Amino acid sequence: YAFGIILWEVNACELPYQNISAVMVPAQVSKGKRPPVDASWPRKIVDLMQKCWSQNSKTRPTSSAVVAILSKLQSSKGGTEHL
């Protein structure tokens, strides 16, 4: 979950859940609330982000899987500038 939020922060250049009291964030997250995704963000990064913060923790990728996905994205595009 946390890595998905980090990906969101990097793309948004801001902190998530700013309109929610810090005390309420865990309850909202457990109900499925996630920060909004901008349509201009790289689709493959958004896909990874959403997999990482899946409501079902058992379907979230492991850190090894995240590294493999990012490596594959980088090598398939010749770098990260085209993600």
Side-chain angles (χ1 to χ4, degrees):
Y1 174 84
F3 189 72
I5 294 297
I6 291 168
L7 287 174
W8 186 91
E9 290 175 347
V10 167
N11 281 281
C13 297
E14 63 182 69
L15 295 174
Y17 308 115
Q18 290 186 37
N19 60 342
I20 301 173
S21 163
V23 175
M24 295 301 300
V25 170
Q28 294 297 310
V29 169
S30 69
K31 292 178 184 176
K33 182 163 179 62
R34 302 294 187 263
V37 174
D38 191 286
S40 68
W41 296 350
R43 184 75 243 158
K44 291 180 180 182
I45 294 297
V46 170
D47 291 344
L48 176 57
M49 178 189 320
Q50 292 174 332
K51 286 177 185 174
C52 288
W53 69 29
S54 171
Q55 188 68 15
N56 182 349
S57 62
K58 293 179 182 186
T59 64
R60 295 176 192 160
T62 63
S63 57
S64 297
V66 168
V67 169
I69 291 166
L70 290 173
S71 295
K72 184 177 177 181
L73 289 175
Q74 184 176 20
S75 65
S76 70
K77 297 293 185 182
T80 57
E81 66 274 2
H82 299 294
L83 291 176

